[in-house]
Amino acid sequence: AEKEAKLHKLLEKQRRREKELEKRKVLGGFFVGQRVQAVTDISVHHKVVIRVGFVGVIQGPSVKHPQERINVYFKQRLDGKPRSVNVLPREIVAVV
């Protein structure tokens, strides 16, 4: 009975963790807080602000286009602005 209780507790913990991860999911199988890397130069208003290889952290879905874009904060930006960028899922990959 004790083993069963421990197993039940463990399964419950795993279910809660999976639920939490589910809440953090965004487009393209990425999730909030995940480190990602640009696989292409990313432009804002026709100016490249993120270069291939720059690393960022996913903040969540884009506010204006949640079904199309992901909001990512890149520490390094060519324009020096401390702002996040809305990217397409194909423009980033997970950092392993």
Side-chain angles (χ1 to χ4, degrees), residues 43-55:
S43 299
V44 175
H45 301 298
H46 310 293
K47 279 189 179 171
V48 175
V49 293
I50 305 296
R51 286 260 181 242
V52 172
F54 282 15
V55 174

Side-chain angles (χ1 to χ4, degrees), residues 31-86:
F31 58 90
V32 173
Q34 185 175 20
R35 287 177 44 137
V36 294
Q37 190 170 24
V39 292
T40 183
D41 288 348
I42 299 169
S43 299
V44 175
H45 301 298
H46 310 293
K47 279 189 179 171
V48 175
V49 293
I50 305 296
R51 286 260 181 242
V52 172
F54 282 15
V55 174
V57 177
I58 293 183
Q59 303 300 298
S62 161
V63 174
K64 287 185 182 173
H65 307 283
Q67 301 303 317
E68 300 161 29
R69 294 180 177 267
I70 302 166
N71 186 267
V72 181
Y73 177 75
F74 289 92
K75 262 189 187 168
Q76 189 180 5
R77 271 183 66 147
L78 296 178
D79 61 4
K81 292 182 181 173
R83 280 194 206 129
S84 56
V85 182
N86 291 315

